[in-house]
Amino acid sequence: MPLPLLPDSPSIDLLIATFGRKGELDRLLTSLEKQTYKNFHIWLADQNPPGFLDDMLASHSGLPLTRIMLSSRGVSAARNSLLAMAQGELIAFPDDDCWYAPDTLANVVDAFCKHPQCGVLLGVWTPREDMPPPCSKEGPVGRIGLFRQGGTCVQFFRKEVIEGIRFDPVLGPGTGLPYGCGEDTDFLLYAHTKAKVCRCPSIRVFHPSPLNTLPNKDKIQSYASGRIFLLRKHKFSLWFQIATVFFPLCMMPIDGLRRGRRGIVYRWTMFRARLRAFFAQRTTERRRG
């Protein structure tokens, strides 16, 4: 879709859904206070018990922040509520446990000006600020490429591109359903059908690695179920579904060398979870058919 030119200083809306994280959110807000680009507004969907965040948020009273209180119905429902209020020319959905480099938002604006017909930008994330980003070339990203370093925290959208798109309330954490991830890639895939998506490695975001604190088996299984459900929903080919299942096995030797037994256990558990989800999804579809 053709996109109008952005103003010289476009406004950025940062839509943050949060539950159960105080220290992590404090770190994110501290990083936003340090941004060299100042034309942004934070919209916070607080799904915590009343009072849980009050003292911490008071320490960031200088930030342009609007908080709404929501019941805990999952991250997708919370982000959809915030989308209904968003007004900025640019939209992002920072995870409540990520944080930005001081120049993150400035580089987002520069990149959209450099690529005026790009509707979505993907940055890159690392678990530490002193860690070099993965080797990524700047330029367009194809449909399959959206699965590589394409999580919510590195996604930045032109508002025109996501009008009418909403997060699938079946997908994502906190729904009580078995699909614990995939809401971010699902949203990105719909945006990709409307406009070009570009990778811009100068946009740096930091996010904890799952290997720092190994997720439990239930969480890994829910993420696997979400990924397989997403691939079937968007009609990805059977070969890509199978490649997704076996990808953790390919990564197991690499993560074993990098992180020892922790990396091996994580990748093996992920492979088994994806394999189980793959056959469960196909069994469900045969029964429905």
Coordinates of all heavy atoms in Angstrom, one line a residue, residues 113-150:
C113 N 12.5 7.2 7.7 CA 12.7 8.3 6.7 C 13.6 7.8 5.6 O 13.4 8.2 4.4 CB 13.4 9.5 7.4 SG 12.3 10.4 8.6
K114 N 14.5 6.9 5.9 CA 15.4 6.3 4.8 C 14.6 5.4 3.9 O 14.9 5.2 2.7 CB 16.5 5.6 5.5 CG 17.5 5.0 4.6 CD 18.7 4.3 5.3 CE 19.7 3.6 4.4 NZ 20.8 3.0 5.2
H115 N 13.6 4.7 4.5 CA 12.8 3.7 3.7 C 11.3 4.2 3.8 O 10.5 3.6 4.5 CB 12.9 2.3 4.3 CG 14.3 1.8 4.4 ND1 15.0 1.3 3.3 CD2 15.2 1.7 5.4 CE1 16.2 0.9 3.6 NE2 16.3 1.2 4.9
P116 N 11.0 5.2 3.0 CA 9.6 5.9 3.2 C 8.5 5.0 2.8 O 7.4 5.2 3.2 CB 9.7 7.1 2.2 CG 10.8 6.8 1.3 CD 11.8 5.9 2.0
Q117 N 8.7 3.9 2.0 CA 7.6 3.0 1.6 C 7.7 1.7 2.4 O 7.0 0.7 2.0 CB 7.6 2.8 0.1 CG 7.2 4.0 -0.7 CD 5.8 4.5 -0.2 OE1 4.8 3.8 -0.1 NE2 5.8 5.8 0.0
C118 N 8.4 1.7 3.4 CA 8.5 0.5 4.3 C 7.4 0.7 5.4 O 7.4 1.7 6.1 CB 9.9 0.4 4.9 SG 10.1 -1.0 6.0
G119 N 6.5 -0.2 5.6 CA 5.5 -0.1 6.5 C 5.8 -0.7 7.9 O 5.2 -0.3 8.9
V120 N 6.8 -1.5 8.0 CA 7.2 -2.2 9.2 C 8.7 -2.3 9.3 O 9.4 -2.6 8.3 CB 6.6 -3.6 9.4 CG1 6.9 -4.2 10.7 CG2 5.1 -3.6 9.1
L121 N 9.3 -1.9 10.4 CA 10.7 -2.1 10.6 C 10.9 -3.1 11.7 O 10.2 -3.2 12.7 CB 11.4 -0.8 11.1 CG 11.5 0.3 10.1 CD1 12.2 1.6 10.7 CD2 12.4 -0.1 8.9
L122 N 12.0 -4.0 11.5 CA 12.4 -4.9 12.5 C 13.8 -4.5 12.9 O 14.7 -4.4 12.1 CB 12.4 -6.3 12.0 CG 11.1 -6.9 11.5 CD1 11.3 -8.3 11.0 CD2 10.1 -6.9 12.6
G123 N 14.0 -4.3 14.2 CA 15.3 -4.1 14.8 C 16.0 -5.4 15.1 O 15.6 -6.5 14.5
V124 N 17.0 -5.4 15.9 CA 17.6 -6.6 16.4 C 17.7 -6.6 17.9 O 17.8 -5.5 18.5 CB 19.0 -6.8 15.8 CG1 19.0 -7.0 14.3 CG2 19.9 -5.6 16.1
W125 N 17.7 -7.8 18.5 CA 17.8 -7.8 20.0 C 19.0 -8.7 20.4 O 19.3 -9.7 19.7 CB 16.5 -8.2 20.6 CG 16.2 -9.7 20.5 CD1 15.4 -10.3 19.5 CD2 16.6 -10.8 21.4 NE1 15.3 -11.6 19.7 CE2 16.0 -12.0 20.8 CE3 17.3 -10.9 22.5 CZ2 16.2 -13.2 21.4 CZ3 17.5 -12.1 23.1 CH2 16.9 -13.3 22.6
T126 N 19.6 -8.3 21.5 CA 20.6 -9.2 22.2 C 20.2 -9.2 23.7 O 19.5 -8.3 24.2 CB 22.0 -8.6 22.0 OG1 22.0 -7.2 22.5 CG2 22.4 -8.6 20.6
P127 N 20.7 -10.2 24.4 CA 20.4 -10.2 25.9 C 21.2 -9.3 26.7 O 20.8 -9.1 27.9 CB 20.7 -11.7 26.2 CG 21.7 -12.2 25.2 CD 21.4 -11.4 24.0
R128 N 22.3 -8.7 26.1 CA 23.1 -7.7 26.9 C 23.5 -6.6 26.0 O 23.7 -6.7 24.8 CB 24.3 -8.4 27.5 CG 24.1 -9.6 28.4 CD 25.4 -9.9 29.2 NE 26.6 -9.9 28.3 CZ 27.0 -11.0 27.7 NH1 26.4 -12.1 27.8 NH2 28.1 -10.9 26.9
E129 N 23.7 -5.4 26.6 CA 24.1 -4.3 25.9 C 25.5 -4.3 25.3 O 25.8 -3.7 24.3 CB 23.9 -3.0 26.7 CG 22.5 -2.8 27.2 CD 22.3 -1.6 28.1 OE1 23.0 -0.6 28.0 OE2 21.5 -1.7 29.1
D130 N 26.3 -5.1 26.0 CA 27.7 -5.2 25.5 C 27.9 -6.4 24.5 O 29.0 -6.6 24.0 CB 28.7 -5.5 26.7 CG 28.4 -6.8 27.4 OD1 27.3 -7.3 27.2 OD2 29.2 -7.2 28.3
M131 N 26.8 -7.0 24.1 CA 26.9 -8.1 23.1 C 26.6 -7.6 21.7 O 25.6 -6.9 21.5 CB 25.9 -9.2 23.5 CG 25.9 -10.5 22.6 SD 24.7 -11.7 23.1 CE 25.5 -12.3 24.6
P132 N 27.5 -7.9 20.8 CA 27.3 -7.5 19.4 C 26.0 -8.1 18.8 O 25.7 -9.3 19.1 CB 28.5 -7.9 18.6 CG 29.1 -9.1 19.5 CD 28.7 -8.7 20.9
P133 N 25.2 -7.4 18.0 CA 24.0 -7.9 17.5 C 24.3 -9.0 16.5 O 25.5 -9.1 15.9 CB 23.4 -6.7 16.8 CG 24.5 -5.8 16.5 CD 25.5 -6.0 17.6
P134 N 23.4 -9.9 16.2 CA 23.6 -10.9 15.2 C 23.8 -10.3 13.8 O 23.4 -9.1 13.5 CB 22.3 -11.7 15.2 CG 21.3 -10.8 15.8 CD 22.0 -9.9 16.8
C135 N 24.5 -11.0 13.0 CA 24.8 -10.4 11.6 C 23.5 -10.3 10.8 O 22.9 -11.4 10.5 CB 25.8 -11.3 10.9 SG 27.5 -11.3 11.7
S136 N 23.1 -9.1 10.5 CA 21.9 -8.9 9.8 C 22.1 -7.8 8.8 O 22.7 -6.8 9.1 CB 20.7 -8.6 10.7 OG 20.4 -9.6 11.7
K137 N 21.6 -8.1 7.6 CA 21.7 -7.0 6.5 C 20.5 -6.2 6.6 O 19.4 -6.6 6.8 CB 21.9 -7.7 5.1 CG 23.2 -8.4 5.0 CD 23.3 -9.0 3.5 CE 24.6 -9.8 3.3 NZ 24.7 -10.3 1.9
E138 N 20.7 -4.9 6.3 CA 19.6 -4.0 6.2 C 18.8 -4.2 4.9 O 19.5 -4.4 3.8 CB 20.0 -2.5 6.3 CG 18.9 -1.5 6.2 CD 19.4 -0.1 6.7 OE1 20.4 0.0 7.3 OE2 18.7 0.8 6.3
G139 N 17.5 -4.3 4.9 CA 16.8 -4.5 3.7 C 15.5 -5.2 3.9 O 15.1 -5.6 5.0
P140 N 14.8 -5.5 2.8 CA 13.5 -6.2 2.9 C 13.6 -7.6 3.5 O 14.6 -8.3 3.4 CB 13.0 -6.3 1.5 CG 13.8 -5.2 0.8 CD 15.1 -5.1 1.4
V141 N 12.5 -8.0 4.2 CA 12.4 -9.3 4.9 C 11.2 -10.0 4.2 O 10.1 -9.5 4.2 CB 12.2 -9.2 6.4 CG1 12.1 -10.6 7.0 CG2 13.3 -8.4 7.0
G142 N 11.4 -11.3 3.8 CA 10.4 -12.1 3.3 C 9.5 -12.7 4.3 O 9.8 -12.6 5.5
R143 N 8.5 -13.5 3.9 CA 7.5 -14.1 4.8 C 8.2 -15.0 5.8 O 7.9 -15.0 7.0 CB 6.4 -14.8 4.0 CG 5.2 -15.2 4.8 CD 4.1 -15.7 3.8 NE 2.9 -16.1 4.5 CZ 2.4 -17.3 4.5 NH1 3.1 -18.3 3.9 NH2 1.3 -17.6 5.1
I144 N 9.0 -15.9 5.3 CA 9.7 -16.8 6.2 C 10.7 -16.1 7.1 O 10.9 -16.5 8.3 CB 10.3 -18.0 5.4 CG1 9.3 -18.9 4.8 CG2 11.3 -18.8 6.2 CD1 9.8 -20.0 3.9
G145 N 11.3 -15.1 6.6 CA 12.3 -14.3 7.3 C 11.7 -13.6 8.6 O 12.5 -13.3 9.5
L146 N 10.4 -13.5 8.6 CA 9.8 -12.8 9.7 C 10.0 -13.6 11.0 O 9.8 -13.1 12.1 CB 8.3 -12.6 9.5 CG 7.9 -11.8 8.3 CD1 6.4 -11.7 8.1 CD2 8.5 -10.4 8.3
F147 N 10.3 -14.9 10.9 CA 10.4 -15.8 12.1 C 11.8 -15.7 12.7 O 12.0 -16.1 13.8 CB 10.2 -17.3 11.7 CG 8.7 -17.6 11.4 CD1 8.2 -17.4 10.2 CD2 7.9 -18.1 12.4 CE1 6.8 -17.6 9.9 CE2 6.6 -18.3 12.2 CZ 6.0 -18.1 10.9
R148 N 12.7 -15.0 12.0 CA 14.1 -14.8 12.6 C 14.2 -13.5 13.2 O 14.1 -12.5 12.5 CB 15.1 -15.0 11.5 CG 16.5 -14.9 11.9 CD 17.5 -15.1 10.8 NE 18.9 -14.9 11.2 CZ 19.5 -13.7 11.2 NH1 18.8 -12.6 10.7 NH2 20.7 -13.5 11.6
Q149 N 14.4 -13.4 14.5 CA 14.5 -12.1 15.2 C 13.4 -11.2 14.8 O 13.5 -10.0 14.5 CB 15.9 -11.5 14.8 CG 17.1 -11.9 15.6 CD 17.5 -10.9 16.7 OE1 17.1 -9.8 16.6 NE2 18.3 -11.4 17.6
G150 N 12.2 -11.8 14.9 CA 11.0 -10.9 14.6 C 10.0 -10.8 15.7 O 8.8 -10.4 15.5

